[in-house]
Amino acid sequence: MLLPNLDVRLEQKIIDLYEEHKKRAANIDWSYHEFVPWELGRSFKEIPWSIEQRTLPPAVAMAIETALLTEVNLPWFTTYLSSTFTGSLGVMQEFIHTWVAEEDQHSNLLENYLLLTRNADPQQLHKLRRTVVESGFESSFTTPIEAITYASFQELATLVFYTNVAKVASPYDETLAVLLRRLAKDESLHYSFYRDVVKAHLELEPNYLMYVARVLLGFFMPGNNIPDYDERMKVIAREVGYGPSHYYNQVVMKLVEYWDIEALRPTTVEAEKARLDILKHCDRLGRIARRFA
């Protein structure tokens, strides 16, 4: 029986991927203060906030706020991944520490941008932030291979989100577009690592498709505990460049094709059924994407 843990035969492969990640990350090391606009100088008490101070279209401001409210859950994401990899390969436990250090600045940058450019009501943002963090994050994907598969989808979705929103935001604030692309670079490194760990497992043992299918068919973004999340995503899909068609074309199909799922040939009935379920699910997502497009 195939165990849902990571394969020890791939430990050196994953160590090599991790070392490559550290080299690439060292070349783009950064600090969020580089991107924070300080022009206002005075505090919010000196210049009370009002909606007229906003410089961004409401939908773009909402997209940045939604990204922030996703990123602030880092402590809960860390807890989830750390507990999932307890007892698994040591390299994965080490990578999670590196991942946390690289992700740590994201919410700081987004929050400082929104506050210092006065594109968010500071009191309302504080309440939302507290609500989201108090709600926490839990996942039913509790095996190491499922966690890495989930992270592959989540990191790629975040990368695409930041890249697409940057394009829409650029005419209104090029500084915002630059910082979003800066965040996207981090997500790209994380996505590449997780993606390649999954690919290595599928190449070694196609029957891991059982776990990949479970994640893909039940995937949800970690920000879905944000108040009015569904309404937010409808607005973002309509006006800011990230909706069902982007998720299908730029996230799901990119990974399904990279992992070459259609060509994989698992040896168990359950894994082959999982492969077919993935392909059927992709067809369904494709139909939804075309309707929204």
Side-chain angles (χ1 to χ4, degrees):
M1 178 180 175
L2 185 67
L3 296 175
N5 210 326
L6 302 183
D7 200 300
V8 295
R9 292 172 292 178
L10 292 170
E11 183 167 16
Q12 187 57 52
K13 169 73 173 179
I14 301 173
I15 289 172
D16 293 341
L17 289 171
Y18 179 43
E19 291 300 320
E20 179 62 24
H21 169 86
K22 289 195 289 186
K23 290 178 184 176
R24 294 174 64 193
N27 291 331
I28 60 166
D29 190 31
W30 63 288
S31 175
Y32 79 87
H33 78 269
E34 298 170 41
F35 301 95
V36 173
W38 297 105
E39 289 82 2
L40 288 175
R42 290 182 289 172
S43 70
F44 282 95
K45 288 184 178 179
E46 295 173 295
I47 312 175
W49 186 86
S50 64
I51 197 168
E52 294 80 13
Q53 295 170 0
R54 280 182 170 169
T55 59
L56 295 174
V60 176
M62 177 184 288
I64 306 307
E65 183 181 84
T66 302
L68 163 63
L69 295 173
T70 302
E71 296 279 8
V72 296
N73 248 330
L74 180 62
W76 293 108
F77 304 156
T78 304
T79 300
Y80 160 59
L81 292 174
S82 180
S83 62
T84 300
F85 290 114
T86 298
S88 185
L89 299 182
V91 61
M92 290 307 306
Q93 298 173 51
E94 187 177 350
F95 178 79
I96 295 307
H97 288 209
T98 300
W99 172 81
V100 171
E102 293 166 358
E103 289 274 348
D104 183 54
Q105 298 186 108
H106 292 194
S107 63
N108 291 336
L109 174 53
L110 293 170
E111 185 168 29
N112 275 285
Y113 173 84
L114 286 172
L115 294 178
L116 294 172
T117 61
R118 296 182 173 263
N119 278 294
D121 177 346
Q123 287 299 108
Q124 180 64 21
L125 187 60
H126 172 72
K127 292 177 182 177
L128 281 170
R129 192 182 195 281
R130 187 180 181 97
T131 297
V132 169
V133 175
E134 285 183 342
S135 298
F137 171 79
E138 294 183 5
S139 175
S140 58
F141 308 126
T142 55
T143 64
I145 189 64
E146 288 174 322
I148 296 176
T149 303
Y150 177 81
S152 300
F153 282 102
Q154 185 265 321
E155 296 282 3
L156 179 55
T158 308
L159 161 64
V160 171
F161 182 91
Y162 284 142
T163 303
N164 291 5
V165 175
K167 293 176 184 176
V168 177
S170 183
Y172 304 101
D173 187 344
E174 183 56 32
T175 297
L176 172 59
V178 169
L179 74 85
L180 289 173
R181 288 192 288 267
R182 171 59 267 178
L183 294 178
K185 286 184 180 180
D186 278 1
E187 309 298 0
S188 177
L189 289 182
H190 303 153
Y191 151 67
S192 297
F193 176 81
Y194 289 125
R195 172 200 68 183
D196 288 344
V197 173
V198 173
K199 185 175 179 66
H201 277 78
L202 289 174
E203 288 176 343
L204 181 69
E205 179 54 83
N207 291 331
Y208 276 110
L209 274 171
M210 291 186 295
Y211 304 106
V212 173
R214 186 164 180 259
V215 174
L216 176 52
L217 272 62
F219 181 77
F220 62 93
M221 281 298 287
N224 68 349
N225 63 339
I226 297 171
D228 302 321
Y229 177 78
D230 290 339
E231 288 305 312
R232 284 172 175 267
M233 295 312 298
K234 287 177 183 177
V235 173
I236 292 169
R238 198 166 55 239
E239 301 183 42
V240 199
Y242 186 81
S245 60
H246 307 94
Y247 172 66
Y248 170 73
N249 289 300
Q250 296 178 267
V251 180
V252 173
M253 292 312 298
K254 188 168 183 177
L255 277 169
V256 167
E257 290 170 1
Y258 185 82
W259 291 332
D260 202 15
I261 287 177
E262 189 168 1
L264 289 176
R265 291 296 176 263
T267 58
T268 69
V269 173
E270 294 84 359
E272 174 60 14
K273 180 181 182 301
R275 186 183 74 87
L276 296 176
D277 287 344
I278 289 173
L279 298 178
K280 289 176 184 176
H281 184 67
C282 289
D283 287 341
R284 175 177 170 273
L285 290 180
R287 291 193 298 271
I288 294 172
R290 286 187 288 274
R291 286 203 302 272
F292 274 85

